[in-house]
Amino acid sequence: MRVDKVLQIAWKGLARNKLRSLLTMLGVIIGVSAVIIMIAISAGTEKTIEEQITSLGTNLVFITQNFSRGGFQPGNPGKKEEAWYR
């Protein structure tokens, strides 16, 4: 089949089904936009978190209660003691 014949059939299909064509284009536009927005939000959040961690510096020590060699051991959930030292 020739290219001009294929384009002619496609154009007739679009002209006959205008609402379907419009809704399909709208769906594609919304879908692509959603993906782009989610990627942008993810990249921005990642950069913000990285900057916050970098701003803590290399001389930060975090001390928390109830951490043993075997991993986290839950203690008194109402009492949480944490200390930050620089």
Side-chain angles (χ1 to χ4, degrees):
M1 201 177 238
R2 295 184 349 193
V3 175
D4 60 337
K5 187 69 174 171
V6 171
L7 292 175
Q8 182 182 14
I9 293 170
W11 183 255
K12 284 182 183 177
L14 288 173
R16 288 183 186 151
N17 300 307
K18 291 178 185 174
L19 182 61
R20 183 187 298 173
S21 300
L22 175 70
L23 292 174
T24 301
M25 287 190 305
L26 185 62
V28 170
I29 290 168
I30 290 172
V32 170
S33 299
V35 169
I36 290 171
I37 289 170
M38 293 304 295
I39 290 172
I41 289 172
S42 173
T45 304
E46 182 180 350
K47 182 151 179 68
T48 301
I49 292 171
E50 183 180 331
E51 288 173 355
Q52 288 176 352
I53 291 173
T54 303
S55 71
L56 291 175
T58 58
N59 58 349
L60 179 69
V61 177
F62 180 75
I63 301 171
T64 185
Q65 183 181 3
N66 297 328
F67 189 79
S68 67
R69 188 166 189 219
F72 181 74
Q73 301 295 324
N76 185 356
K79 183 179 178 188
K80 186 174 183 182
E81 296 179 15
E82 294 179 349
W84 291 79
Y85 294 101
R86 286 190 182 246

XYZ file of all heavy atoms in Angstrom:
665
model
N 0.836 -1.171 0.000
C 0.000 0.000 0.000
C 0.890 1.248 0.000
O 1.868 1.312 0.728
C -0.895 -0.034 1.240
C -2.117 0.816 1.126
S -3.150 0.642 2.574
C -4.626 0.098 1.812
N 0.515 2.220 -0.777
C 1.314 3.431 -0.895
C 1.090 4.347 0.302
O 0.047 4.318 0.958
C 0.963 4.161 -2.188
C 1.350 3.360 -3.408
C 1.131 4.057 -4.712
N 0.364 5.287 -4.619
C -0.140 5.901 -5.671
N 0.036 5.406 -6.867
N -0.818 7.020 -5.530
N 2.068 5.181 0.547
C 2.034 6.077 1.695
C 0.883 7.082 1.572
O 0.169 7.352 2.551
C 3.389 6.808 1.856
C 3.327 7.827 2.970
C 4.499 5.814 2.101
N 0.669 7.634 0.393
C -0.398 8.621 0.231
C -1.774 8.001 0.476
O -2.666 8.640 1.037
C -0.327 9.290 -1.144
C -0.462 8.299 -2.295
O -0.182 7.106 -2.092
O -0.852 8.739 -3.394
N -1.950 6.748 0.104
C -3.226 6.051 0.343
C -3.438 5.818 1.846
O -4.554 5.995 2.357
C -3.236 4.722 -0.413
C -4.533 4.004 -0.379
C -5.582 4.742 -1.184
C -6.854 3.891 -1.251
N -7.960 4.617 -1.830
N -2.373 5.450 2.554
C -2.452 5.241 4.001
C -2.818 6.544 4.701
O -3.680 6.576 5.587
C -1.117 4.673 4.539
C -1.099 4.657 6.049
C -0.870 3.290 3.990
N -2.167 7.647 4.309
C -2.468 8.947 4.913
C -3.902 9.386 4.621
O -4.576 9.962 5.484
C -1.472 9.997 4.430
C -0.023 9.819 4.902
C 0.880 10.855 4.261
C 0.045 9.906 6.409
N -4.377 9.091 3.434
C -5.751 9.445 3.069
C -6.754 8.669 3.932
O -7.716 9.252 4.448
C -5.991 9.146 1.587
C -7.372 9.521 1.100
C -7.576 9.150 -0.366
O -6.793 8.388 -0.936
N -8.624 9.681 -0.954
N -6.524 7.399 4.139
C -7.412 6.580 4.983
C -7.362 7.065 6.436
O -8.398 7.181 7.103
C -7.026 5.091 4.878
C -7.311 4.569 3.470
C -7.764 4.261 5.919
C -6.754 3.183 3.197
N -6.176 7.380 6.910
C -6.031 7.874 8.278
C -6.756 9.203 8.451
O -7.444 9.419 9.459
C -4.554 8.017 8.623
N -6.616 10.090 7.487
C -7.282 11.395 7.582
C -8.802 11.243 7.584
O -9.504 11.921 8.346
C -6.833 12.289 6.427
C -7.418 13.658 6.520
C -8.427 14.163 5.777
C -7.052 14.672 7.441
N -8.719 15.443 6.160
C -7.880 15.789 7.194
C -6.104 14.765 8.438
C -7.789 16.961 7.915
C -6.019 15.942 9.157
C -6.852 17.017 8.902
N -9.323 10.338 6.766
C -10.770 10.094 6.742
C -11.249 9.537 8.083
O -12.313 9.911 8.574
C -11.126 9.122 5.614
C -11.109 9.733 4.252
C -11.516 8.722 3.199
C -11.427 9.302 1.805
N -11.749 8.330 0.767
N -10.458 8.662 8.666
C -10.818 8.100 9.973
C -10.857 9.160 11.053
O -11.748 9.170 11.910
N -9.888 10.068 11.025
C -9.871 11.159 11.998
C -11.050 12.106 11.787
O -11.662 12.582 12.746
C -8.554 11.936 11.895
C -7.303 11.221 12.413
C -6.064 12.041 12.090
C -7.403 10.982 13.895
N -11.379 12.379 10.539
C -12.473 13.296 10.232
C -13.828 12.701 10.631
O -14.712 13.424 11.097
C -12.466 13.641 8.745
N -13.988 11.412 10.490
C -15.257 10.770 10.835
C -15.444 10.619 12.341
O -16.568 10.628 12.823
C -15.345 9.402 10.168
C -15.552 9.474 8.692
C -15.715 8.102 8.094
N -15.762 8.194 6.644
C -15.364 7.258 5.827
N -14.889 6.122 6.310
N -15.437 7.424 4.527
N -14.373 10.444 13.058
C -14.448 10.207 14.503
C -13.757 11.341 15.250
O -12.767 11.141 15.953
C -13.779 8.869 14.852
C -14.456 7.713 14.159
O -15.657 7.546 14.256
N -13.665 6.933 13.434
N -14.307 12.538 15.133
C -13.660 13.716 15.709
C -13.602 13.639 17.234
O -12.570 13.937 17.830
C -14.388 14.979 15.272
C -14.235 15.276 13.805
C -14.997 16.507 13.396
C -14.885 16.669 11.882
N -15.690 17.739 11.375
N -14.696 13.238 17.876
C -14.715 13.179 19.339
C -13.734 12.121 19.847
O -12.985 12.359 20.796
C -16.123 12.886 19.849
C -16.283 12.847 21.365
C -15.910 14.195 21.970
C -17.700 12.464 21.739
N -13.721 10.968 19.214
C -12.785 9.909 19.612
C -11.344 10.372 19.436
O -10.496 10.140 20.300
C -13.031 8.651 18.779
C -12.134 7.508 19.206
C -12.230 6.316 18.285
N -13.567 5.770 18.268
C -13.968 4.808 17.451
N -13.121 4.307 16.570
N -15.204 4.352 17.491
N -11.071 11.058 18.328
C -9.719 11.562 18.082
C -9.330 12.599 19.131
O -8.206 12.582 19.653
C -9.640 12.186 16.692
O -9.958 11.228 15.712
N -10.261 13.498 19.470
C -9.995 14.526 20.460
C -9.723 13.897 21.826
O -8.770 14.264 22.514
C -11.174 15.494 20.556
C -11.072 16.553 21.643
C -9.999 17.566 21.269
C -12.409 17.228 21.847
N -10.550 12.940 22.226
C -10.366 12.299 23.522
C -9.062 11.501 23.581
O -8.391 11.467 24.612
C -11.560 11.403 23.848
C -12.875 12.135 24.109
C -14.008 11.138 24.286
C -12.766 13.044 25.310
N -8.705 10.873 22.467
C -7.447 10.137 22.420
C -6.266 11.090 22.567
O -5.331 10.832 23.339
C -7.333 9.348 21.100
O -8.435 8.444 21.014
C -6.036 8.574 21.036
N -6.282 12.193 21.844
C -5.199 13.179 21.959
C -5.133 13.752 23.370
O -4.050 13.914 23.931
C -5.403 14.316 20.953
C -5.126 13.931 19.518
S -5.096 15.320 18.368
C -6.655 16.099 18.634
N -6.293 14.033 23.951
C -6.338 14.567 25.303
C -5.751 13.563 26.305
O -4.980 13.935 27.189
C -7.780 14.908 25.685
C -8.002 15.582 27.019
C -7.293 16.935 27.041
C -9.485 15.742 27.279
N -6.080 12.289 26.149
C -5.531 11.254 27.028
C -4.023 11.141 26.915
O -3.321 11.010 27.922
N -3.527 11.199 25.708
C -2.079 11.113 25.499
C -1.387 12.332 26.103
O -0.359 12.210 26.785
C -1.751 10.967 23.995
C -0.260 11.130 23.752
C -2.231 9.625 23.477
N -1.950 13.506 25.888
C -1.354 14.734 26.422
C -1.336 14.703 27.947
O -0.325 15.019 28.578
C -2.107 15.971 25.896
C -1.834 16.147 24.400
C -1.718 17.226 26.666
C -2.729 17.151 23.724
N -2.445 14.306 28.566
C -2.512 14.237 30.031
C -1.531 13.196 30.562
O -0.833 13.427 31.552
C -3.949 13.949 30.492
C -4.831 15.166 30.240
C -3.989 13.564 31.968
C -6.308 14.932 30.484
N -1.454 12.047 29.919
C -0.538 10.995 30.365
C 0.916 11.405 30.287
O 1.681 11.219 31.238
N 1.305 11.981 29.184
C 2.699 12.421 29.024
C 3.016 13.544 30.007
O 4.086 13.565 30.631
C 2.964 12.860 27.566
C 4.309 13.538 27.430
C 2.882 11.656 26.635
N 2.083 14.467 30.184
C 2.287 15.558 31.135
C 2.447 15.036 32.558
O 3.295 15.524 33.314
C 1.109 16.532 31.088
O 0.981 17.095 29.812
N 1.643 14.049 32.928
C 1.734 13.482 34.278
C 3.096 12.840 34.512
O 3.700 13.011 35.580
C 0.623 12.461 34.487
N 3.593 12.135 33.530
C 4.907 11.498 33.665
C 6.000 12.556 33.793
O 6.885 12.447 34.653
C 5.186 10.558 32.471
C 6.627 10.096 32.460
C 4.249 9.361 32.505
N 5.951 13.585 32.978
C 6.959 14.638 33.033
C 6.913 15.355 34.381
O 7.954 15.625 34.992
C 6.755 15.635 31.870
C 7.113 14.957 30.555
C 7.593 16.896 32.060
C 6.757 15.755 29.317
N 5.720 15.648 34.873
C 5.583 16.327 36.168
C 6.124 15.454 37.293
O 6.837 15.944 38.183
C 4.109 16.718 36.412
C 3.724 17.856 35.475
C 3.875 17.112 37.865
C 2.240 18.160 35.445
N 5.815 14.168 37.285
C 6.300 13.274 38.341
C 7.825 13.163 38.322
O 8.464 13.127 39.372
C 5.665 11.892 38.209
C 4.176 11.881 38.481
S 3.731 12.552 40.091
C 4.479 11.380 41.173
N 8.418 13.119 37.152
C 9.877 13.068 37.052
C 10.487 14.361 37.581
O 11.490 14.345 38.305
C 10.314 12.788 35.597
C 9.963 11.352 35.218
C 11.803 13.044 35.406
C 10.175 11.019 33.757
N 9.881 15.500 37.248
C 10.391 16.788 37.722
C 10.285 16.895 39.238
O 11.223 17.349 39.906
C 9.632 17.927 37.055
N 9.155 16.477 39.809
C 8.979 16.518 41.263
C 9.987 15.601 41.940
O 10.601 15.966 42.951
C 7.534 16.141 41.640
C 6.579 17.255 41.227
C 7.406 15.857 43.130
C 5.110 16.902 41.389
N 10.173 14.424 41.386
C 11.123 13.462 41.957
C 12.545 14.011 41.936
O 13.276 13.910 42.926
C 11.049 12.152 41.176
O 12.046 11.271 41.595
N 12.937 14.600 40.826
C 14.297 15.150 40.719
C 14.485 16.318 41.680
O 15.531 16.437 42.330
C 14.566 15.596 39.284
N 13.484 17.177 41.803
C 13.578 18.306 42.714
C 13.651 17.869 44.165
O 14.441 18.408 44.955
N 12.852 16.882 44.524
C 12.867 16.366 45.894
C 14.198 15.699 46.203
O 14.757 15.882 47.295
C 11.714 15.369 46.092
O 10.481 16.006 45.771
C 11.664 14.860 47.507
N 14.705 14.940 45.261
C 15.996 14.279 45.456
C 17.102 15.311 45.677
O 17.941 15.149 46.569
C 16.312 13.410 44.244
C 17.610 12.651 44.359
C 17.895 11.800 43.127
O 17.005 11.665 42.277
O 19.014 11.280 43.033
N 17.085 16.380 44.902
C 18.103 17.418 45.059
C 17.975 18.113 46.408
O 18.979 18.375 47.062
C 17.981 18.433 43.919
C 19.033 19.519 43.972
C 19.339 20.020 42.600
C 20.356 21.123 42.602
N 21.685 20.682 43.006
N 16.758 18.386 46.845
C 16.540 19.038 48.134
C 17.048 18.172 49.281
O 17.726 18.657 50.192
C 15.046 19.339 48.335
O 14.601 20.173 47.275
C 14.794 20.028 49.662
N 16.733 16.885 49.238
C 17.187 15.969 50.290
C 18.703 15.868 50.289
O 19.348 15.874 51.345
C 16.527 14.589 50.119
C 15.035 14.686 50.410
C 17.184 13.549 51.019
C 14.256 13.439 50.068
N 19.291 15.783 49.117
C 20.748 15.713 49.020
C 21.407 16.964 49.603
O 22.404 16.873 50.321
C 21.159 15.534 47.560
C 22.640 15.367 47.356
C 22.999 15.187 45.890
O 22.163 14.652 45.132
O 24.115 15.584 45.517
N 20.831 18.128 49.323
C 21.374 19.376 49.873
C 21.248 19.409 51.393
O 22.151 19.871 52.089
C 20.655 20.577 49.257
C 21.021 20.837 47.814
C 20.164 21.919 47.179
O 19.211 22.409 47.835
O 20.434 22.264 46.023
N 20.132 18.914 51.922
C 19.941 18.899 53.369
C 20.943 17.964 54.043
O 21.503 18.292 55.095
C 18.517 18.482 53.723
C 17.493 19.536 53.398
C 16.081 19.062 53.665
O 15.837 17.900 53.966
N 15.121 19.978 53.557
N 21.169 16.814 53.452
C 22.128 15.868 54.028
C 23.543 16.436 53.944
O 24.328 16.325 54.886
C 22.030 14.500 53.322
C 20.696 13.838 53.674
C 23.193 13.600 53.699
C 20.406 12.572 52.917
N 23.858 17.067 52.830
C 25.180 17.677 52.675
C 25.390 18.807 53.680
O 26.486 18.975 54.216
C 25.350 18.212 51.244
O 25.142 17.145 50.327
C 26.736 18.779 51.032
N 24.330 19.557 53.971
C 24.458 20.677 54.898
C 24.700 20.216 56.332
O 25.170 20.997 57.161
C 23.216 21.561 54.846
O 22.121 20.898 55.444
N 24.408 18.961 56.644
C 24.664 18.453 57.990
C 26.156 18.363 58.278
O 26.570 18.457 59.426
C 24.021 17.076 58.169
C 22.491 17.043 58.191
C 22.017 15.613 58.246
C 21.949 17.843 59.348
N 26.930 18.167 57.261
C 28.379 18.109 57.429
C 28.861 16.699 57.683
O 28.104 15.743 57.763
N 30.180 16.588 57.840
C 30.784 15.270 58.043
C 31.077 14.997 59.503
O 31.483 13.890 59.854
C 32.097 15.181 57.251
O 32.959 16.228 57.675
C 31.845 15.274 55.770
N 30.849 15.971 60.378
C 31.186 15.778 61.781
C 29.933 15.565 62.639
O 29.899 15.907 63.804
C 31.980 16.979 62.305
C 31.202 18.266 62.137
O 30.186 18.305 61.466
N 31.712 19.328 62.740
N 28.896 14.984 62.070
C 27.643 14.773 62.773
C 27.577 13.345 63.298
O 27.852 12.399 62.573
C 26.466 15.033 61.831
C 25.084 14.837 62.419
C 24.824 15.925 63.450
C 24.049 14.904 61.328
N 27.213 13.209 64.558
C 27.026 11.898 65.168
C 25.585 11.823 65.635
O 25.092 12.719 66.324
C 27.981 11.696 66.371
C 27.718 10.359 67.036
C 29.410 11.795 65.927
N 24.878 10.772 65.285
C 23.483 10.588 65.680
C 23.416 9.453 66.680
O 23.862 8.353 66.417
C 22.633 10.282 64.450
C 21.184 10.086 64.743
C 20.379 11.179 65.029
C 20.631 8.832 64.754
C 19.049 11.005 65.304
C 19.296 8.651 65.022
C 18.503 9.739 65.307
N 22.850 9.738 67.851
C 22.739 8.742 68.908
C 21.273 8.508 69.182
O 20.509 9.455 69.393
C 23.439 9.216 70.208
C 24.912 9.475 69.927
C 23.265 8.192 71.312
C 25.637 10.132 71.064
N 20.869 7.253 69.189
C 19.481 6.909 69.481
C 19.441 5.747 70.465
O 20.381 4.967 70.559
C 18.707 6.583 68.195
O 17.347 6.365 68.511
C 19.257 5.371 67.497
N 18.361 5.630 71.157
C 18.183 4.605 72.166
C 17.684 3.316 71.508
O 17.056 3.335 70.465
C 17.147 5.105 73.172
C 16.901 4.181 74.322
C 15.844 4.767 75.257
O 15.301 5.817 74.978
N 15.589 4.090 76.322
N 17.957 2.167 72.157
C 17.420 0.865 71.775
C 17.978 0.319 70.468
O 17.273 -0.324 69.719
C 15.895 0.898 71.682
C 15.251 1.192 73.001
O 15.778 0.823 74.039
N 14.128 1.862 72.964
N 19.201 0.572 70.188
C 19.815 -0.025 69.008
C 20.887 -0.979 69.487
O 21.800 -0.605 70.206
C 20.435 1.042 68.099
C 20.881 0.486 66.779
C 19.972 0.244 65.773
C 22.213 0.184 66.544
C 20.370 -0.272 64.557
C 22.622 -0.335 65.342
C 21.694 -0.561 64.343
N 20.746 -2.230 69.121
C 21.707 -3.223 69.564
C 22.394 -3.841 68.359
O 22.069 -3.537 67.227
C 21.005 -4.305 70.395
O 20.139 -5.049 69.573
N 23.288 -4.758 68.620
C 24.031 -5.399 67.534
C 23.105 -6.181 66.607
O 23.338 -6.292 65.416
C 25.097 -6.306 68.126
C 26.019 -6.835 67.088
C 27.228 -7.440 67.727
N 28.179 -7.734 66.694
C 28.926 -8.794 66.664
N 28.857 -9.667 67.646
N 29.774 -8.989 65.693
N 22.036 -6.704 67.156
C 21.091 -7.488 66.352
C 20.123 -6.636 65.560
O 19.323 -7.149 64.804
N 20.170 -5.344 65.719
C 19.258 -4.465 65.009
C 18.423 -3.666 65.980
O 18.698 -3.609 67.174
N 17.359 -3.086 65.499
C 16.512 -2.241 66.332
C 15.681 -3.106 67.266
O 15.014 -4.034 66.844
C 15.601 -1.395 65.448
C 14.709 -0.468 66.229
C 15.235 0.658 66.814
C 13.370 -0.752 66.383
C 14.425 1.512 67.535
C 12.562 0.097 67.098
C 13.087 1.230 67.680
N 15.717 -2.780 68.549
C 14.915 -3.475 69.555
C 13.924 -2.470 70.132
O 14.324 -1.508 70.778
C 15.809 -4.022 70.678
C 16.875 -4.980 70.203
C 16.282 -6.251 69.644
O 15.280 -6.736 70.140
N 16.896 -6.767 68.602
N 12.635 -2.674 69.895
C 11.675 -1.696 70.394
C 11.644 -1.670 71.915
O 11.651 -2.705 72.567
C 10.344 -2.174 69.824
C 10.553 -3.594 69.445
C 12.016 -3.764 69.181
N 11.649 -0.466 72.445
C 11.625 -0.294 73.892
C 10.342 0.377 74.302
O 9.250 -0.080 73.959
N 10.444 1.485 74.972
C 9.293 2.242 75.413
C 8.910 3.215 74.303
O 9.590 4.206 74.083
C 9.643 2.998 76.709
C 8.448 3.708 77.298
O 7.367 3.706 76.705
N 8.636 4.308 78.456
N 7.796 2.962 73.571
C 7.480 3.817 72.430
C 7.077 5.230 72.837
O 7.141 6.144 72.048
C 6.321 3.099 71.751
C 5.734 2.223 72.796
C 6.845 1.881 73.748
N 6.673 5.422 74.095
C 6.271 6.744 74.524
C 7.448 7.633 74.844
O 7.339 8.844 74.888
N 8.588 7.061 75.075
C 9.787 7.821 75.459
C 10.832 7.671 74.366
O 11.366 6.593 74.159
C 10.331 7.297 76.783
C 11.524 8.056 77.287
C 11.980 7.495 78.615
C 13.201 8.228 79.096
N 13.774 7.608 80.271
N 11.101 8.742 73.696
C 12.079 8.690 72.611
C 13.191 9.666 72.941
O 12.967 10.871 73.047
C 11.431 9.061 71.290
C 12.343 8.882 70.108
C 11.598 9.115 68.824
C 12.503 8.854 67.656
N 11.847 9.108 66.396
N 14.366 9.142 73.152
C 15.503 9.984 73.489
C 16.492 9.965 72.336
O 16.976 8.922 71.952
C 16.189 9.480 74.749
C 15.303 9.564 75.985
C 15.998 9.026 77.212
O 17.225 8.865 77.161
O 15.320 8.769 78.196
N 16.736 11.133 71.799
C 17.705 11.251 70.724
C 18.615 12.428 71.034
O 18.231 13.376 71.703
C 17.016 11.526 69.378
C 16.152 10.380 68.907
C 15.477 10.708 67.570
O 15.529 11.873 67.155
O 14.938 9.792 66.983
N 19.813 12.344 70.567
C 20.756 13.433 70.774
C 21.556 13.653 69.498
O 21.921 12.716 68.818
C 21.701 13.099 71.923
N 21.774 14.904 69.182
C 22.580 15.282 68.026
C 23.826 15.990 68.547
O 23.721 16.920 69.336
C 21.814 16.235 67.114
C 20.671 15.597 66.409
C 19.453 15.320 66.914
C 20.661 15.142 65.077
N 18.664 14.734 65.982
C 19.383 14.607 64.825
C 21.590 15.123 64.042
C 19.024 14.074 63.615
C 21.214 14.596 62.837
C 19.952 14.070 62.640
N 24.974 15.541 68.121
C 26.221 16.171 68.534
C 26.994 16.585 67.312
O 27.082 15.858 66.342
C 27.068 15.207 69.379
C 26.435 14.860 70.711
C 25.766 13.660 70.884
C 26.492 15.748 71.753
C 25.175 13.338 72.067
C 25.902 15.442 72.959
C 25.247 14.234 73.129
O 24.664 13.937 74.314
N 27.594 17.722 67.398
C 28.473 18.193 66.327
C 29.851 18.382 66.881
O 30.074 18.724 67.967
C 27.981 19.518 65.742
C 26.792 19.304 64.881
C 26.487 20.591 64.127
N 25.299 20.347 63.346
C 25.275 20.329 62.038
N 26.337 20.590 61.356
N 24.194 20.105 61.386
